[in-house]
Amino acid sequence: MPEHFSLVIGAALPAYMSYVFAAVLGIGLGWLMVRNKDVDYTKVRTLSKEDFKSNMRRGQLVDIRSKKEYELDKIKGARNYKASDFTSKYAKIRKDKPVYLYCANGRKSKRIAKKMIRKQFSAIYVLKDGFNSYKKL
């Protein structure tokens, strides 16, 4: 094992610990690659504000901004779930109907959409650039 490797992972580790660290890291990376192997992320689609507005009534409309932001301004008919609470609220959202997600700028909704696809939701539509762009419509 090269000497510089022990400097990267910690000072003065026993020689076998370097191998243990490398093995654990390899197993962890392998697990991450296998976990996402069979997930079809093409079910997550990003829509322009015009397409989102014309189609959002065909599914479940979900706002994942904070409660305060939601109360200040929202799209009529949207249900509000905080992104941090969202994983516990899956039971309230039907998996067989399309879900139209939006957040403030589009980043959180993309991340949540990927989690939902891994939980076998049928189709997820994300508002491109989030609610900030929708308000300009």
Side-chain angles (χ1 to χ4, degrees):
M1 183 77 43
E3 288 182 32
H4 71 279
F5 187 72
S6 65
L7 295 175
V8 172
I9 63 170
L13 287 176
Y16 72 90
M17 287 300 291
S18 298
Y19 294 111
V20 170
F21 177 76
V24 170
L25 184 64
I27 291 169
L29 289 173
W31 177 78
L32 285 173
M33 291 171 62
V34 169
R35 180 180 141 218
N36 294 328
K37 180 180 162 189
D38 296 328
V39 179
D40 182 13
Y41 289 116
T42 60
K43 292 180 181 179
V44 177
R45 295 180 192 95
T46 303
L47 299 178
S48 68
K49 54 188 171 183
E50 293 82 12
D51 290 338
F52 190 87
K53 186 173 184 176
S54 63
N55 292 306
M56 67 186 177
R57 301 294 175 215
R58 296 180 182 168
Q60 305 166 89
L61 185 58
V62 179
D63 182 330
I64 57 172
R65 299 175 300 150
S66 70
K67 188 109 177 137
K68 185 178 179 181
E69 290 174 307
Y70 175 76
E71 289 172 354
L72 287 174
D73 198 8
K74 61 185 170 276
I75 299 174
K76 187 177 179 182
R79 291 182 286 169
N80 177 243
Y81 299 117
K82 284 191 318 186
S84 59
D85 294 340
F86 203 76
T87 53
S88 64
K89 309 268 184 176
Y90 284 138
K92 295 182 180 181
I93 300 172
R94 292 180 54 175
K95 291 183 177 184
D96 61 330
K97 291 186 115 186
V99 179
Y100 290 81
L101 282 178
Y102 69 93
C103 64
N105 58 21
R107 284 181 286 210
K108 279 185 190 175
S109 47
K110 285 179 188 175
R111 190 177 71 236
I112 295 294
K114 288 181 179 181
K115 287 181 181 181
M116 291 175 74
I117 289 299
R118 285 195 299 265
K119 299 285 186 184
Q120 283 80 42
F121 279 80
S122 63
I124 312 293
Y125 299 95
V126 175
L127 176 59
K128 182 179 180 182
D129 299 326
F131 187 71
N132 296 338
S133 73
Y134 184 85
K135 284 177 58 173
K136 296 175 186 174
L137 184 62

